[in-house]
Amino acid sequence: EAFEFCNKLTTLVLPNALEEIGSNAFNYCTGITKINIPAKTTRIDSSSFASCDNLREITVSAGNQRYFAANNCLVEGYYGTLIAAPKISDVVIPNGVKYIPAYTFYREPTVLRSVVIPTSVTSIDYGAFANCTSLEEIHLPDSVTTMGYRVFANDTALKTVNYPKNYNDSFGGYGAESYQYGQLFFGCTALETVTIPDGTQKIADHAFRNSGISKMFIPRSVTAIGNYALDGCTKLTDVYYQIDEENWNKISIGSVNDILTRVTMHYNTGTVDPAELVPVISASYNELIPVG
C-alpha cells in the first residue's frame, strides 16, 4: 500500500531492477494514465493497480518472461491471470487467460461497454465486473465453472447475460459466511429474464441470490438447484420448465429457495429459448407460450 490514495501522482517510472509489486501498491492512484512493467518484475498482486480509473496504457518491457500486455490488459502468462485493464470501453480478454481476479474491471462505471471473454477462462473472482454501469450485455463461455461474490454487482444497465452450463461452484466473498457467496447479479435492476442452457445439471449455490430476475427458463437437464440459489429473488414470478410436473418434482432443491413455492410454474414449455416464445394477446388472455 506504499502509494495508495496518492491521487495526485501522475507519472510512474518503475526501476528496471524491480522484482515485485505488492497488494494495493497504487490503489486509487487516479492520476496515473500509463505504466510500463520492467523486464525483471516477476510478481504483481492482482490488486496492485485497483481503482486506477484513468489508466489507459499498459506495456511490458521486452524480456519479461511472466507478463504480457494484450488489448492494453496486463496478463500473467503462467496462470493466465488478468492483472489490470485500463479505462477503455471495449475489452477483448486474450485467449489463454484462465482466471479473472477480483475487482479487475471494478469502478469503470461510465466507460466499460463490452467485454469478450475467451473459452480459456474457467474462473471469475468476486466483483470482477462490479459497478460497470454501462455494461448492457455479456456472454460467459461454458468453460466457466467457478464465479465469486457479486461478480456483476450493481451493473444497472445489464439486460442480457447467459448462464454457463458448467458453472457449479462459488468462491467465498470476504469471509466464510453463507451470505458472502454468489449473489452474482446483486443490484442488476435491468436484468429480468434468465435462461438456463440445456446441458446444465445444477444451478449453482447462491447463483441468483438477491437479483432482480422475474422470469427463469429451466431445461430438462437440470437435476439440482443449489442452496440459496434463488433466495431473495423477490421479483421472481414465473418459472418455465421444459417438461412435466412429475419430472420437476424429482429435482433436488437446496435450502432457502422458498420463492419456488410462490411462483407460477409453467410446465411442458417445449423450448427454453425466450426468443422463440411469442406473446398471444386477446381481450382476456396474455401469456408467453412455446412456438409449436
Coordinates of all heavy atoms in Angstrom, one line a residue, residues 145-229:
T145 N -16.5 -22.4 -14.7 CA -17.0 -23.3 -13.7 C -17.2 -22.7 -12.4 O -18.0 -23.2 -11.5 CB -16.1 -24.6 -13.6 OG1 -14.8 -24.2 -13.1 CG2 -16.0 -25.3 -14.9
T146 N -16.4 -21.6 -12.1 CA -16.4 -21.0 -10.7 C -16.5 -19.5 -10.8 O -15.8 -18.9 -11.6 CB -15.2 -21.4 -10.0 OG1 -15.0 -22.9 -10.0 CG2 -15.2 -21.0 -8.5
M147 N -17.4 -18.9 -10.1 CA -17.5 -17.5 -10.0 C -17.6 -17.0 -8.6 O -18.2 -17.8 -7.7 CB -18.7 -17.0 -10.9 CG -18.4 -17.0 -12.4 SD -19.7 -16.2 -13.4 CE -20.9 -17.5 -13.4
G148 N -17.2 -15.8 -8.3 CA -17.1 -15.3 -6.9 C -18.3 -14.5 -6.5 O -19.3 -14.4 -7.2
Y149 N -18.1 -13.8 -5.4 CA -19.2 -13.0 -4.8 C -19.5 -11.7 -5.6 O -18.6 -11.0 -5.9 CB -18.6 -12.7 -3.4 CG -19.5 -11.8 -2.5 CD1 -20.8 -12.2 -2.1 CD2 -19.0 -10.6 -2.0 CE1 -21.5 -11.5 -1.3 CE2 -19.8 -9.8 -1.1 CZ -21.0 -10.3 -0.8 OH -21.8 -9.5 0.1
R150 N -20.7 -11.5 -6.0 CA -21.2 -10.3 -6.6 C -20.3 -9.9 -7.8 O -19.9 -8.8 -8.0 CB -21.3 -9.2 -5.6 CG -22.3 -9.4 -4.5 CD -22.5 -8.2 -3.6 NE -23.6 -8.5 -2.6 CZ -24.0 -7.7 -1.8 NH1 -23.6 -6.4 -1.8 NH2 -25.0 -8.0 -0.9
V151 N -20.1 -10.8 -8.7 CA -19.3 -10.6 -9.9 C -19.8 -9.4 -10.7 O -19.0 -8.6 -11.2 CB -19.2 -11.9 -10.8 CG1 -18.5 -11.5 -12.1 CG2 -18.3 -12.9 -10.1
F152 N -21.1 -9.3 -10.9 CA -21.7 -8.3 -11.7 C -22.5 -7.3 -10.8 O -23.5 -6.6 -11.3 CB -22.7 -8.9 -12.7 CG -22.0 -9.9 -13.6 CD1 -22.1 -11.2 -13.4 CD2 -21.2 -9.4 -14.7 CE1 -21.4 -12.1 -14.2 CE2 -20.5 -10.3 -15.5 CZ -20.7 -11.7 -15.3
A153 N -22.2 -7.1 -9.6 CA -23.0 -6.3 -8.6 C -23.2 -4.9 -9.1 O -22.2 -4.3 -9.6 CB -22.3 -6.3 -7.3
N154 N -24.4 -4.4 -9.0 CA -24.8 -3.0 -9.4 C -24.5 -2.7 -10.8 O -24.3 -1.5 -11.1 CB -24.1 -2.1 -8.4 CG -24.4 -2.3 -7.0 OD1 -25.6 -2.6 -6.6 ND2 -23.4 -2.4 -6.1
D155 N -24.5 -3.6 -11.7 CA -24.4 -3.3 -13.2 C -25.8 -3.0 -13.6 O -26.5 -3.9 -14.2 CB -23.8 -4.5 -13.9 CG -22.4 -4.7 -13.6 OD1 -21.8 -3.9 -12.9 OD2 -21.8 -5.7 -14.2
T156 N -26.3 -1.8 -13.4 CA -27.7 -1.4 -13.5 C -28.2 -1.4 -14.9 O -29.4 -1.4 -15.2 CB -27.9 0.0 -12.9 OG1 -27.0 0.9 -13.4 CG2 -27.7 -0.1 -11.4
A157 N -27.3 -1.4 -15.9 CA -27.7 -1.5 -17.3 C -27.7 -2.9 -17.9 O -28.2 -3.1 -19.0 CB -26.8 -0.6 -18.2
L158 N -27.2 -3.9 -17.1 CA -27.1 -5.2 -17.6 C -28.5 -5.8 -17.9 O -29.2 -6.0 -17.0 CB -26.3 -6.1 -16.6 CG -25.9 -7.5 -17.1 CD1 -25.0 -7.4 -18.3 CD2 -25.3 -8.3 -16.0
K159 N -28.7 -6.1 -19.2 CA -30.0 -6.7 -19.5 C -29.9 -8.1 -20.0 O -30.9 -8.9 -19.8 CB -30.6 -5.9 -20.7 CG -30.9 -4.4 -20.4 CD -31.5 -3.7 -21.6 CE -31.8 -2.2 -21.3 NZ -32.3 -1.5 -22.5
T160 N -28.8 -8.5 -20.6 CA -28.6 -9.8 -21.2 C -27.4 -10.5 -20.7 O -26.3 -9.9 -20.8 CB -28.6 -9.7 -22.7 OG1 -29.7 -9.0 -23.2 CG2 -28.5 -11.1 -23.3
V161 N -27.5 -11.7 -20.1 CA -26.4 -12.5 -19.7 C -26.8 -13.9 -19.7 O -28.0 -14.3 -19.5 CB -25.9 -12.1 -18.2 CG1 -27.0 -12.5 -17.2 CG2 -24.6 -12.7 -17.9
N162 N -25.9 -14.7 -20.1 CA -26.2 -16.2 -20.2 C -25.7 -16.9 -19.0 O -24.9 -16.3 -18.2 CB -25.6 -16.8 -21.5 CG -24.1 -16.8 -21.4 OD1 -23.5 -15.7 -21.2 ND2 -23.4 -17.9 -21.5
Y163 N -26.1 -18.1 -18.8 CA -25.6 -18.9 -17.7 C -24.7 -20.0 -18.2 O -25.2 -20.8 -19.0 CB -26.8 -19.6 -16.9 CG -26.5 -20.3 -15.7 CD1 -26.6 -19.7 -14.4 CD2 -26.1 -21.6 -15.7 CE1 -26.3 -20.4 -13.3 CE2 -25.8 -22.3 -14.6 CZ -25.9 -21.7 -13.3 OH -25.6 -22.4 -12.2
P164 N -23.4 -20.0 -17.9 CA -22.6 -21.1 -18.4 C -22.9 -22.4 -17.8 O -23.1 -22.6 -16.6 CB -21.2 -20.6 -17.9 CG -21.3 -19.5 -17.0 CD -22.8 -19.1 -17.0
K165 N -23.2 -23.4 -18.7 CA -23.8 -24.6 -18.3 C -22.9 -25.4 -17.3 O -23.4 -26.3 -16.6 CB -24.2 -25.4 -19.5 CG -23.1 -26.0 -20.3 CD -23.7 -26.8 -21.5 CE -22.6 -27.4 -22.4 NZ -23.1 -28.1 -23.5
N166 N -21.6 -25.2 -17.3 CA -20.7 -25.9 -16.4 C -20.4 -25.2 -15.1 O -19.6 -25.7 -14.3 CB -19.4 -26.2 -17.2 CG -19.6 -27.1 -18.4 OD1 -20.3 -28.1 -18.3 ND2 -19.1 -26.8 -19.5
Y167 N -21.0 -24.0 -14.9 CA -20.8 -23.3 -13.7 C -21.5 -24.0 -12.5 O -22.7 -24.2 -12.6 CB -21.4 -21.9 -13.8 CG -21.6 -21.1 -12.5 CD1 -20.5 -21.0 -11.6 CD2 -22.8 -20.5 -12.2 CE1 -20.7 -20.3 -10.4 CE2 -23.0 -19.8 -11.0 CZ -21.9 -19.7 -10.1 OH -22.1 -19.1 -9.0
N168 N -20.7 -24.4 -11.5 CA -21.3 -25.2 -10.4 C -20.7 -24.9 -9.1 O -21.0 -25.5 -8.1 CB -21.0 -26.7 -10.7 CG -19.6 -27.0 -10.9 OD1 -18.7 -26.3 -10.4 ND2 -19.3 -28.1 -11.6
D169 N -19.9 -23.8 -9.0 CA -19.2 -23.5 -7.7 C -19.1 -22.0 -7.5 O -19.0 -21.3 -8.5 CB -17.9 -24.2 -7.6 CG -17.4 -24.4 -6.2 OD1 -18.2 -24.1 -5.3 OD2 -16.2 -24.7 -6.0
S170 N -19.0 -21.6 -6.3 CA -18.8 -20.2 -5.9 C -17.5 -20.0 -5.1 O -17.3 -20.8 -4.1 CB -20.0 -19.6 -5.2 OG -21.1 -19.7 -6.0
F171 N -16.7 -19.0 -5.4 CA -15.7 -18.6 -4.4 C -16.4 -17.9 -3.3 O -17.5 -17.3 -3.4 CB -14.8 -17.5 -5.1 CG -13.9 -18.0 -6.1 CD1 -14.1 -17.6 -7.5 CD2 -12.9 -18.9 -5.9 CE1 -13.2 -18.0 -8.5 CE2 -12.0 -19.3 -6.8 CZ -12.2 -18.9 -8.1
G172 N -15.8 -17.9 -2.1 CA -16.3 -17.2 -1.0 C -16.0 -15.7 -1.2 O -15.1 -15.3 -2.0
G173 N -16.7 -14.8 -0.6 CA -16.5 -13.4 -0.7 C -15.5 -12.9 0.3 O -14.3 -13.3 0.2
Y174 N -15.9 -12.1 1.2 CA -15.0 -11.5 2.2 C -14.7 -12.5 3.4 O -13.9 -12.2 4.2 CB -15.5 -10.2 2.7 CG -15.6 -9.2 1.6 CD1 -16.8 -8.9 1.0 CD2 -14.5 -8.5 1.1 CE1 -17.0 -8.0 0.0 CE2 -14.6 -7.6 0.1 CZ -15.8 -7.4 -0.5 OH -15.9 -6.5 -1.5
G175 N -15.4 -13.5 3.4 CA -15.3 -14.5 4.6 C -16.0 -15.8 4.2 O -16.3 -16.0 3.1
A176 N -16.3 -16.5 5.3 CA -16.8 -17.9 5.1 C -18.3 -17.9 5.3 O -18.9 -19.0 5.2 CB -16.1 -18.9 6.0
E177 N -18.9 -16.8 5.6 CA -20.4 -16.8 5.9 C -21.2 -17.0 4.6 O -20.8 -16.6 3.5 CB -20.8 -15.4 6.5 CG -20.1 -15.1 7.8 CD -20.5 -16.0 8.9 OE1 -21.6 -16.6 8.9 OE2 -19.7 -16.3 9.8
S178 N -22.3 -17.7 4.8 CA -23.1 -18.1 3.6 C -23.6 -16.9 2.8 O -23.7 -17.0 1.6 CB -24.3 -19.0 4.1 OG -25.2 -18.2 4.8
Y179 N -23.8 -15.8 3.4 CA -24.4 -14.7 2.7 C -23.3 -14.0 1.8 O -23.6 -13.1 1.0 CB -25.0 -13.7 3.6 CG -24.1 -12.9 4.5 CD1 -23.4 -11.8 4.1 CD2 -23.8 -13.4 5.8 CE1 -22.5 -11.1 4.9 CE2 -22.9 -12.8 6.6 CZ -22.3 -11.6 6.2 OH -21.4 -11.0 7.0
Q180 N -22.1 -14.4 2.0 CA -21.0 -13.8 1.2 C -20.6 -14.6 0.0 O -19.5 -14.5 -0.5 CB -19.8 -13.5 2.1 CG -20.1 -12.4 3.2 CD -19.0 -12.2 4.1 OE1 -18.3 -13.2 4.5 NE2 -18.8 -11.0 4.6
Y181 N -21.4 -15.5 -0.4 CA -21.2 -16.3 -1.6 C -22.1 -15.9 -2.7 O -23.2 -15.4 -2.5 CB -21.3 -17.8 -1.3 CG -20.2 -18.4 -0.5 CD1 -20.3 -18.2 0.9 CD2 -19.2 -19.1 -1.0 CE1 -19.3 -18.8 1.7 CE2 -18.2 -19.6 -0.3 CZ -18.2 -19.5 1.1 OH -17.2 -20.0 1.9
G182 N -21.7 -16.2 -4.0 CA -22.7 -16.0 -5.1 C -23.2 -14.6 -5.2 O -22.4 -13.6 -5.3
Q183 N -24.5 -14.4 -5.3 CA -25.1 -13.2 -5.5 C -24.5 -12.5 -6.7 O -24.3 -11.3 -6.7 CB -25.0 -12.3 -4.2 CG -25.6 -12.9 -3.0 CD -25.6 -11.9 -1.8 OE1 -26.2 -10.8 -1.9 NE2 -25.0 -12.3 -0.7
L184 N -24.4 -13.2 -7.8 CA -23.7 -12.7 -8.9 C -24.3 -11.4 -9.5 O -23.6 -10.5 -9.9 CB -23.7 -13.7 -10.1 CG -23.1 -15.1 -9.8 CD1 -23.2 -16.0 -11.0 CD2 -21.6 -15.0 -9.4
F185 N -25.6 -11.3 -9.4 CA -26.3 -10.2 -10.1 C -27.0 -9.3 -9.1 O -28.0 -8.7 -9.4 CB -27.3 -10.8 -11.1 CG -26.7 -11.8 -12.0 CD1 -26.9 -13.1 -11.9 CD2 -25.9 -11.3 -13.1 CE1 -26.3 -14.1 -12.8 CE2 -25.4 -12.2 -14.0 CZ -25.6 -13.6 -13.8
F186 N -26.4 -9.2 -7.9 CA -26.9 -8.3 -6.9 C -27.0 -6.8 -7.4 O -26.0 -6.3 -7.9 CB -26.0 -8.3 -5.7 CG -26.5 -7.4 -4.6 CD1 -27.4 -7.8 -3.6 CD2 -25.9 -6.1 -4.5 CE1 -27.8 -6.9 -2.6 CE2 -26.3 -5.2 -3.5 CZ -27.3 -5.6 -2.5
G187 N -28.2 -6.2 -7.4 CA -28.3 -4.9 -7.8 C -28.4 -4.7 -9.3 O -28.4 -3.5 -9.8
C188 N -28.6 -5.8 -10.1 CA -28.7 -5.7 -11.5 C -30.2 -5.5 -11.8 O -30.9 -6.4 -12.2 CB -28.2 -6.9 -12.2 SG -26.4 -7.2 -12.0
T189 N -30.6 -4.2 -11.7 CA -32.1 -3.9 -11.8 C -32.7 -4.1 -13.1 O -33.9 -4.2 -13.3 CB -32.3 -2.5 -11.2 OG1 -31.5 -1.6 -12.0 CG2 -32.0 -2.4 -9.8
A190 N -31.9 -4.1 -14.2 CA -32.4 -4.2 -15.6 C -32.5 -5.7 -16.0 O -33.1 -6.0 -17.0 CB -31.6 -3.4 -16.5
L191 N -31.9 -6.6 -15.2 CA -31.9 -8.0 -15.6 C -33.2 -8.6 -15.2 O -33.5 -8.7 -14.0 CB -30.7 -8.7 -15.0 CG -30.5 -10.1 -15.3 CD1 -30.2 -10.3 -16.8 CD2 -29.4 -10.8 -14.5
E192 N -34.0 -9.1 -16.2 CA -35.3 -9.6 -15.8 C -35.5 -11.1 -16.1 O -36.1 -11.8 -15.4 CB -36.4 -8.8 -16.6 CG -36.5 -7.4 -16.2 CD -37.5 -6.6 -17.0 OE1 -38.1 -7.3 -18.0 OE2 -37.8 -5.5 -16.7
T193 N -34.9 -11.5 -17.2 CA -35.1 -12.9 -17.7 C -33.7 -13.7 -17.7 O -32.8 -13.1 -18.3 CB -35.8 -13.0 -19.0 OG1 -37.0 -12.3 -19.0 CG2 -36.0 -14.4 -19.5
V194 N -33.7 -14.9 -17.2 CA -32.5 -15.7 -17.2 C -32.9 -17.1 -17.8 O -33.9 -17.7 -17.4 CB -31.9 -15.9 -15.9 CG1 -30.8 -17.0 -15.9 CG2 -31.3 -14.6 -15.3
T195 N -32.1 -17.5 -18.8 CA -32.3 -18.8 -19.5 C -31.2 -19.7 -19.1 O -30.0 -19.4 -19.4 CB -32.4 -18.7 -21.0 OG1 -33.5 -17.8 -21.3 CG2 -32.6 -20.0 -21.6
I196 N -31.5 -20.8 -18.4 CA -30.5 -21.8 -18.1 C -30.4 -22.7 -19.3 O -31.3 -23.3 -19.8 CB -30.9 -22.7 -16.9 CG1 -31.3 -21.8 -15.7 CG2 -29.8 -23.6 -16.5 CD1 -30.2 -20.9 -15.2
P197 N -29.1 -22.9 -19.9 CA -29.0 -23.6 -21.1 C -29.1 -25.1 -20.9 O -28.9 -25.7 -19.9 CB -27.5 -23.3 -21.5 CG -26.8 -23.0 -20.3 CD -27.9 -22.3 -19.4
D198 N -29.6 -25.8 -22.0 CA -29.8 -27.2 -22.0 C -28.4 -27.8 -21.8 O -27.4 -27.4 -22.4 CB -30.4 -27.7 -23.3 CG -30.9 -29.1 -23.2 OD1 -31.0 -29.6 -22.1 OD2 -31.1 -29.7 -24.2
G199 N -28.3 -28.8 -20.9 CA -27.0 -29.4 -20.6 C -26.5 -29.1 -19.2 O -25.7 -29.8 -18.6
T200 N -27.1 -28.0 -18.6 CA -26.8 -27.7 -17.3 C -27.4 -28.7 -16.3 O -28.6 -29.1 -16.4 CB -27.4 -26.3 -16.9 OG1 -26.9 -25.3 -17.8 CG2 -27.0 -25.9 -15.5
Q201 N -26.6 -29.2 -15.4 CA -27.1 -30.2 -14.4 C -27.5 -29.6 -13.1 O -28.4 -30.1 -12.4 CB -26.1 -31.3 -14.2 CG -25.8 -32.1 -15.5 CD -24.8 -33.2 -15.3 OE1 -24.2 -33.3 -14.2 NE2 -24.6 -34.1 -16.3
K202 N -26.8 -28.5 -12.7 CA -27.1 -27.9 -11.4 C -27.0 -26.4 -11.5 O -26.1 -25.9 -12.1 CB -26.1 -28.4 -10.3 CG -26.4 -27.8 -9.0 CD -25.3 -28.2 -7.9 CE -25.6 -27.5 -6.6 NZ -24.6 -27.8 -5.6
I203 N -28.0 -25.7 -11.0 CA -27.9 -24.3 -10.8 C -27.1 -24.0 -9.5 O -27.5 -24.5 -8.4 CB -29.3 -23.6 -10.7 CG1 -30.1 -23.9 -12.0 CG2 -29.2 -22.1 -10.5 CD1 -31.5 -23.4 -12.0
A204 N -26.0 -23.4 -9.6 CA -25.1 -23.3 -8.5 C -25.6 -22.6 -7.3 O -26.5 -21.8 -7.3 CB -23.8 -22.6 -9.0
D205 N -25.1 -23.0 -6.1 CA -25.4 -22.4 -4.8 C -25.3 -20.8 -4.9 O -24.3 -20.4 -5.5 CB -24.5 -22.9 -3.7 CG -24.7 -24.3 -3.4 OD1 -25.6 -25.0 -4.0 OD2 -23.9 -24.9 -2.6
H206 N -26.2 -20.1 -4.4 CA -26.2 -18.6 -4.3 C -26.2 -17.9 -5.7 O -25.9 -16.7 -5.7 CB -25.0 -18.2 -3.5 CG -24.9 -18.8 -2.2 ND1 -25.4 -18.3 -1.0 CD2 -24.3 -20.0 -1.8 CE1 -25.1 -19.1 0.0 NE2 -24.5 -20.1 -0.4
A207 N -26.4 -18.6 -6.8 CA -26.1 -18.1 -8.1 C -26.9 -16.8 -8.4 O -26.4 -15.8 -8.8 CB -26.4 -19.1 -9.2
F208 N -28.2 -16.8 -8.1 CA -29.1 -15.6 -8.4 C -29.6 -14.9 -7.1 O -30.5 -14.1 -7.2 CB -30.3 -16.1 -9.3 CG -29.8 -16.6 -10.6 CD1 -29.8 -18.0 -10.8 CD2 -29.5 -15.8 -11.6 CE1 -29.4 -18.5 -12.0 CE2 -29.1 -16.3 -12.8 CZ -29.0 -17.7 -13.0
R209 N -29.0 -15.2 -6.0 CA -29.4 -14.7 -4.8 C -29.5 -13.1 -4.8 O -28.5 -12.5 -5.3 CB -28.5 -15.1 -3.6 CG -29.0 -14.9 -2.3 CD -28.1 -15.4 -1.2 NE -28.8 -15.4 0.1 CZ -28.1 -15.6 1.2 NH1 -26.9 -16.0 1.2 NH2 -28.8 -15.5 2.4
N210 N -30.6 -12.6 -4.4 CA -30.8 -11.1 -4.3 C -30.7 -10.4 -5.6 O -30.4 -9.3 -5.7 CB -29.8 -10.5 -3.3 CG -30.0 -10.9 -1.9 OD1 -31.2 -11.2 -1.5 ND2 -29.0 -11.0 -1.1
S211 N -31.1 -11.1 -6.7 CA -31.1 -10.5 -8.0 C -32.5 -10.0 -8.3 O -33.5 -10.4 -7.6 CB -30.6 -11.4 -9.1 OG -31.5 -12.5 -9.3
G212 N -32.7 -9.3 -9.4 CA -34.0 -8.7 -9.7 C -34.7 -9.5 -10.8 O -35.7 -9.0 -11.4
I213 N -34.3 -10.8 -11.1 CA -34.9 -11.5 -12.2 C -36.4 -11.8 -11.9 O -36.8 -12.0 -10.7 CB -34.2 -12.9 -12.4 CG1 -34.3 -13.7 -11.2 CG2 -32.8 -12.6 -12.9 CD1 -33.7 -15.1 -11.4
S214 N -37.2 -11.8 -12.9 CA -38.7 -12.0 -12.8 C -39.1 -13.3 -13.5 O -40.1 -13.9 -13.1 CB -39.5 -10.8 -13.3 OG -39.2 -10.6 -14.7
K215 N -38.3 -13.8 -14.5 CA -38.7 -15.0 -15.2 C -37.4 -15.9 -15.3 O -36.3 -15.3 -15.6 CB -39.2 -14.7 -16.6 CG -40.6 -14.0 -16.6 CD -41.0 -13.7 -18.0 CE -42.4 -13.1 -18.0 NZ -42.4 -11.7 -17.4
M216 N -37.6 -17.2 -15.2 CA -36.5 -18.1 -15.4 C -36.9 -19.3 -16.2 O -38.0 -19.8 -16.0 CB -36.0 -18.6 -14.0 CG -34.9 -19.6 -14.2 SD -34.2 -20.1 -12.6 CE -33.0 -18.7 -12.3
F217 N -36.1 -19.7 -17.2 CA -36.4 -20.8 -18.1 C -35.4 -21.9 -17.7 O -34.2 -21.7 -17.8 CB -36.2 -20.4 -19.5 CG -37.3 -19.4 -20.0 CD1 -37.1 -18.0 -19.7 CD2 -38.4 -19.8 -20.7 CE1 -38.0 -17.1 -20.1 CE2 -39.3 -18.8 -21.1 CZ -39.2 -17.5 -20.8
I218 N -35.9 -23.1 -17.4 CA -35.1 -24.2 -16.9 C -35.3 -25.4 -17.8 O -36.4 -25.8 -18.1 CB -35.5 -24.6 -15.4 CG1 -35.3 -23.3 -14.5 CG2 -34.7 -25.7 -14.9 CD1 -35.7 -23.6 -13.1
P219 N -34.2 -26.0 -18.3 CA -34.3 -27.1 -19.2 C -34.4 -28.5 -18.5 O -34.2 -28.5 -17.2 CB -32.9 -27.1 -19.9 CG -32.0 -26.6 -18.9 CD -32.8 -25.6 -18.1
R220 N -34.7 -29.5 -19.2 CA -34.9 -30.8 -18.6 C -33.6 -31.4 -18.0 O -33.7 -32.3 -17.2 CB -35.4 -31.8 -19.7 CG -34.4 -32.1 -20.8 CD -35.0 -33.1 -21.8 NE -36.0 -32.5 -22.6 CZ -37.0 -33.1 -23.1 NH1 -37.2 -34.4 -22.9 NH2 -37.9 -32.5 -23.9
S221 N -32.5 -30.9 -18.4 CA -31.2 -31.4 -18.0 C -30.9 -31.1 -16.5 O -30.1 -31.8 -15.9 CB -30.0 -30.9 -18.8 OG -30.0 -29.5 -18.8
V222 N -31.5 -30.1 -15.9 CA -31.3 -29.7 -14.6 C -31.8 -30.7 -13.6 O -33.0 -31.1 -13.6 CB -31.9 -28.3 -14.3 CG1 -31.9 -28.0 -12.8 CG2 -31.2 -27.2 -15.0
T223 N -30.9 -31.2 -12.7 CA -31.3 -32.2 -11.7 C -31.2 -31.6 -10.3 O -31.7 -32.3 -9.4 CB -30.4 -33.4 -11.8 OG1 -29.0 -33.0 -11.6 CG2 -30.5 -34.1 -13.1
A224 N -30.6 -30.4 -10.1 CA -30.5 -29.9 -8.8 C -30.5 -28.3 -8.9 O -29.9 -27.8 -9.8 CB -29.2 -30.4 -8.1
I225 N -31.1 -27.7 -7.9 CA -31.0 -26.3 -7.7 C -30.3 -26.1 -6.3 O -30.8 -26.5 -5.3 CB -32.4 -25.6 -7.7 CG1 -33.0 -25.8 -9.1 CG2 -32.3 -24.1 -7.4 CD1 -34.4 -25.3 -9.2
G226 N -29.2 -25.4 -6.3 CA -28.3 -25.3 -5.1 C -28.9 -24.5 -4.0 O -29.9 -23.7 -4.2
N227 N -28.3 -24.6 -2.8 CA -28.7 -23.8 -1.7 C -28.7 -22.3 -2.0 O -27.7 -21.8 -2.5 CB -27.8 -24.1 -0.5 CG -27.8 -25.6 -0.1 OD1 -28.8 -26.3 -0.2 ND2 -26.7 -26.1 0.4
Y228 N -29.7 -21.6 -1.5 CA -29.7 -20.2 -1.7 C -29.7 -19.7 -3.1 O -29.6 -18.5 -3.3 CB -28.6 -19.5 -0.9 CG -28.6 -19.7 0.6 CD1 -28.0 -20.8 1.2 CD2 -29.2 -18.7 1.4 CE1 -28.0 -20.9 2.5 CE2 -29.2 -18.9 2.8 CZ -28.6 -20.0 3.4 OH -28.5 -20.1 4.7
A229 N -29.8 -20.6 -4.1 CA -29.7 -20.1 -5.5 C -30.7 -19.0 -5.9 O -30.4 -18.2 -6.7 CB -29.9 -21.3 -6.4

